[in-house]
Each structure stands twice: as structure tokens, then as C-alpha cells.
Amino acid sequence: MPTTTGMKGGGYYDANSKEQRSALETFLPWLETAIAELPSPAAFQESWNVLDIGSSEGGNAIYAMNRLITALRRHSDLPVWVLFDDLPTNDFNQMFLNLFPQGGSAFSAPDIFSAAIGGSAFGRLVPPRSLHLATTFNAIGFFETRPVARLPHFILAMQPNPHAPREGVAVTESELKPFQDQAHQDLCHFYAARAEELVSGGKLLVQVFGRNESWSTGYGICDVLSDALLDFVEAEMLPRSFYEAFVFPAYYRSVEELIAPLQEGTELAAAFRVEKAEVREVPVPFNDALEQSGDQSAWAHSYTSFLRAFTEPVLQAALPVDLPQENTIKKIYQRVERLLEDHPERYEFHFISIAALLTRV
Ligand SMILES: C[S@@+](CC[C@H](N)C(=O)[O-])C[C@H]1O[C@@H](n2cnc3c(N)ncnc32)[C@H](O)[C@@H]1O
């Protein structure tokens, strides 16, 4: 069963994803530096081939690719193929508009050729041994397929935030296990596909939302969404069976989980050298804006828009069709915004970004 994890389209994701940019930006210098160390192009090589995976509408992805192309151009004048992948349900129209703003190219350097690919990160996207660089940002935390395991007392596969307890909200270790196993299998599929696609010496930068020993990026965002849904259940605007069946299809990994498939003495371990692997807490633009302005309702609004950009399509697809009220989805996010405004300390948000830089052996 495929996931339905497309972002909210029509430019909405691009307008509400400064936080994701902050999370990827902190690790871009790893790859910029690694590009400078790439071997000179082989005699028969006609282009550098670069693939970004899970690019959404492209705002952040094109920004990242522009930075990498600048680094590549310092290294060689060869033309560049820059490829952007996402699920077939993605808003590719918006991506193409972003690739050609006002009819011109989004890339400042000459001889840059772009194309988009519809396909899953967890399968093969390009021919074997055809890529020199691959990146993925804030994407591979989404499950390859919609989980079939259930979590009747929470909406995300993690231990609920101890700082935002609510009666009845709980997850047991045995409930978590199938999700942890699924997330591990997904990563094995992701690395196996990239191992086939990258040339020897090719680089792979993997970054995604995650967790450290004390905090998860899922805290705050999933607490407020869960509270809003439970408030609707208690007000009989949503059936309890909906809450019990709903699981947001993402997994927030530790950096150890991110590189676990490469450290097990398997074929994958032989395919990649792990150059770097790290977890960092990154600046969150809507928190910084609150610190400067003290404007709590602006904070609640930006926080809600950020959350809405990556949760609304999933929630919309999961909602029952025969609800007693109209515009349920809009009302849920209104409730989210109100909760944030009234209880900012309960829904504190920290972005824990995890990443690894790998070289194809
Ligand atoms: C949060 S957005 C990240 C967009 C961009 N990379 C960024 O950092 O701002 C996650 C993207 O991953 C995509 N995605 C989720 N599952 C995917 C899969 N199996 N294959 C490819 N893309 C996927 C979603 O459709 C979405 O566009």
C-alpha cells in the first residue's frame, strides 16, 4: 500500500518550509567540501549527474542544488544534469514553475539541465552507475508504505512527549517494534537503490528530521495534532475509531538508526564508506521570530502553517467522509492554532536534524 505523503501544493509547502531549509542547510557544507575532493572527471564523462530525492515543490531543493552546482563549477566546467525526484502525487507543476521563474533558469551557472522524476526514494530512480551526487532532505522519514501496525492511543510511532502528557495517550514498546522494523527495512531499500545508481567515488548526503537522547522533532507538532484530534473526538465531531486507526506515516530516527544498515557486515556496508554522521539541533525560524517580536499569535500561525504543509494531505485522505460538520480539516487546524496560542509551553518545538555523508566505494 503506497503512502500518501505528498505536501500541500500550489506553493504552500514552499511558503511554509523555512524550518526544513534550516535543517538541510546545516549539513550542505559537508557535500560542498566533498565535491572539491571529487576525482577529476573521467575522459569519457559528458556531464555531472546529480539527483535530489523527495524535492517536493522544489523551493528548498533548487536552493540546495544551486549551492552544490556552484561547488561543482569550481571543480570542473562539464555540463550538469540536475534531477529532482518525488512521489507521482507531488505538485510537479509548481516545481517546473520554480525551475523557470519568469521564463529564465533557476540556476545561475551555464550548462545546467534539469528534469523531474516521479518515483519512490525506496526504489531505483535512474540507470545503474549513472550518478555522481545524490541528496535527500527531510524526506526519507516517511514510510515507504502505509504502516499496517496500529497505535490506538497515539498518532505517531514514538513514545509520546513526556512534557505534554494527556490521559489515555500512550505507546508500548511492543506496539513500536513493527514501526522500528519497517523504518529499518525502508532504509535498507533506500541505500540499496543508491548503491546501484552511484558511480564509484560518488557521494550521497542523507538528511532527515530525527531525534537525539532528549528530544524528538516529532514532539510539539504531534502533541498538538493529537490534542486537536482528541478534542474533536470528545466533542463528537470525529469518531474515536478514527483516532485509533490514524497513524501519521513518518518515523523520527536517531543518527544510530540512520547508519545502522551500513554497519552490519552486509553487502550495504561494503558499498558505502560513512564519512560523517551527526545529529544537530538547528535554528527554527518561527521560534527565532517569536524571540525577536514576542508576538505569540504570529508564532502560533507560522507553526500551524508549517505543520499543515506536511500533514494536511495525509489527514485529509484519512478523514471519514460522513462527518456531522463541514470543513473538518479547516476546523482541525483552527483548533491547532488556538491550542498553540493558548499553551505555547506545552507544544515547544525543536528541530533535531540528523545526517550522514557517504561515499560509494
Ligand atoms: C517535508 S518534504 C521535503 C521537501 C524538501 N526536500 C525539503 O527539504 O524542503 C518531504 C517530501 O518527501 C516526499 N516523499 C515522501 N515519501 C517519498 C518517497 N517514498 N519517495 C520520494 N519522495 C517521497 C514527499 O512527497 C515530500 O515532497
Side-chain angles (χ1 to χ4, degrees), residues 118-252:
S120 173
F122 304 105
R124 284 271 308 282
L125 296 165
V126 293
R129 301 264 156 180
S130 64
L131 285 181
H132 302 98
L133 302 176
T135 57
T136 181
F137 304 116
N138 301 297
I140 55 157
F142 292 99
F143 286 115
E144 178 175 8
T145 56
R146 204 174 311 140
V148 286
R150 285 169 61 100
L151 282 179
H153 305 296
F154 197 42
I155 59 163
L156 189 70
M158 69 173 187
Q159 289 299 346
N161 180 0
H163 309 285
R166 178 161 176 153
E167 210 184 321
V169 168
V171 175
T172 65
E173 286 303 321
S174 60
E175 282 171 338
L176 269 188
K177 182 79 170 70
F179 295 93
Q180 289 164 339
D181 292 348
Q182 186 172 346
H184 179 80
Q185 271 315 310
D186 287 355
L187 262 188
C188 293
H189 297 159
F190 175 83
Y191 289 132
R194 303 298 82 77
E196 294 207 38
E197 294 168 344
L198 282 158
V199 299
S200 176
K203 306 280 178 190
L204 171 60
L205 177 61
V206 182
Q207 175 278 331
V208 70
F209 42 81
R211 64 189 157 89
N212 60 22
E213 323 70 52
S214 53
W215 204 271
S216 167
T217 312
Y219 288 0
I221 48 180
C222 285
D223 302 323
V224 74
L225 194 56
S226 169
D227 280 351
L229 295 176
L230 283 172
D231 289 351
F232 273 44
V233 169
E234 283 162 19
E236 298 188 354
M237 293 166 75
L238 278 176
R240 184 162 291 277
S241 57
F242 164 75
Y243 184 89
E244 290 174 352
F246 181 69
V247 180
F248 187 72
Y251 184 77
Y252 292 72

Side-chain angles (χ1 to χ4, degrees), residues 5-7 13 20 54 56 60 85-87 119-122 137-139:
T5 45
M7 304 293 102
Y13 178 79
Q20 287 87 341
S56 189
N60 288 343
D85 158 75
D86 209 288
L87 293 170
S120 173
F122 304 105
F137 304 116
N138 301 297

Side-chain angles (χ1 to χ4, degrees), residues 9-67:
Y12 193 93
Y13 178 79
D14 277 347
N16 294 289
S17 53
K18 292 190 195 71
E19 292 63 34
Q20 287 87 341
R21 182 173 298 194
S22 167
L24 70 87
E25 190 149 36
T26 185
F27 293 112
L28 268 184
W30 283 0
L31 193 50
E32 288 170 316
T33 306
I35 284 171
E37 292 155 9
L38 275 176
S40 299
F44 56 84
Q45 192 176 321
E46 303 285 356
S47 62
W48 295 106
N49 304 334
V50 183
L51 169 66
D52 180 59
I53 300 166
S55 310
S56 189
E57 298 181 320
N60 288 343
I62 294 168
Y63 165 79
M65 290 306 112
N66 247 325
R67 293 256 310 249

